[in-house]
């Protein structure tokens, strides 16, 4: 039991700042009353262990300059869905996943490889578990495999 507590404390300590960061392609939900669908945008995303959220920046440079994120997706009570792969207009394949948040908004996200998608989904799930202090095996971030 002592080893389990130590491992849990190390995991919590590792997410106090930024748990993971990198490039994701994002498609934000339309604003209220907006009809058009948004296109994929290449963004620098940071999982923040302090706010338990995914922060979205225009670029890594903006984040490193301590700029404000252009969007912040709270993981509290969110549902994560794993989608299929799909070609983008530029000819690249996107590996899709999405975050459904409590207010009904859907954030579509994509990576350029299946391995990257597994990494992001795993890290987001870990962060959400720590967010709510849930016992092992009980994630407040529900994962649906589509």
């Amino acid at each position: 039991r002592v080893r389990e507590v130590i491992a849990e404390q190390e995991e919590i300590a590792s997410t106090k700042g930024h748990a993971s960061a990198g490039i994701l392609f994002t498609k934000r939900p339309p604003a209220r009353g907006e009809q058009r669908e948004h296109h994929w945008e290449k963004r620098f995303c940071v999982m923040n262990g302090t706010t338990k959220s995914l922060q979205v920046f225009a670029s890594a440079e903006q984040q490193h300059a301590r700029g404000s994120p252009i969007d912040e997706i709270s993981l509290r009570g969110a549902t994560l869905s794993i989608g299929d792969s799909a070609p983008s207009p530029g000819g690249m394949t996107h590996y899709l996943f999405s975050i459904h948040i409590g207010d009904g908004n859907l954030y579509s996200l994509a990576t350029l490889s299946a391995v990257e998608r597994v990494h992001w989904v795993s890290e987001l799930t870990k962060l959400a578990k720590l967010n709510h202090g849930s016992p092992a095996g009980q994630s407040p971030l529900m994962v649906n495999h589509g």
Side-chain angles (χ1 to χ4, degrees):
R1 176 71 183 132
V2 171
R3 285 189 180 132
E4 290 174 26
V5 171
I6 290 170
E8 185 177 328
Q9 291 302 316
E10 287 173 347
E11 187 176 11
I12 291 169
S14 73
T15 59
K16 287 291 185 190
H18 303 305
S20 192
I23 299 295
L24 283 175
F25 293 85
T26 66
K27 205 184 264 193
R28 67 178 177 82
R32 193 174 297 269
E34 199 174 33
Q35 298 293 319
R36 68 182 178 97
E37 183 173 323
H38 294 276
H39 61 280
W40 289 107
E41 297 176 302
K42 184 177 179 179
R43 298 294 187 210
F44 185 75
C45 297
V46 177
M47 282 188 277
N48 188 301
T50 303
T51 61
K52 310 302 184 215
S53 64
L54 181 65
Q55 295 177 322
V56 180
F57 295 88
S59 65
E61 292 76 21
Q62 179 198 15
Q63 191 269 333
H64 291 303
R66 304 218 188 281
S68 296
I70 56 175
D71 205 350
E72 189 160 6
I73 305 168
S74 175
L75 300 176
R76 300 174 199 279
T79 302
L80 192 139
S81 297
I82 299 170
D84 295 323
S85 60
S88 70
M92 294 185 291
T93 298
H94 284 147
Y95 294 83
L96 311 175
F97 65 101
S98 56
I99 300 173
H100 305 259
I101 58 173
D103 65 4
N105 278 331
L106 169 69
Y107 289 85
S108 298
L109 304 160
T111 63
L112 293 179
S113 77
V115 171
E116 285 181 277
R117 179 176 59 187
V118 168
H119 168 77
W120 279 97
V121 169
S122 174
E123 292 299 311
L124 287 165
T125 302
K126 282 185 214 174
L127 186 62
K129 284 180 184 178
L130 293 174
N131 176 35
H132 292 272
S134 298
Q138 294 182 2
S139 174
L141 180 65
M142 304 303 292
V143 178
N144 295 324
H145 298 276

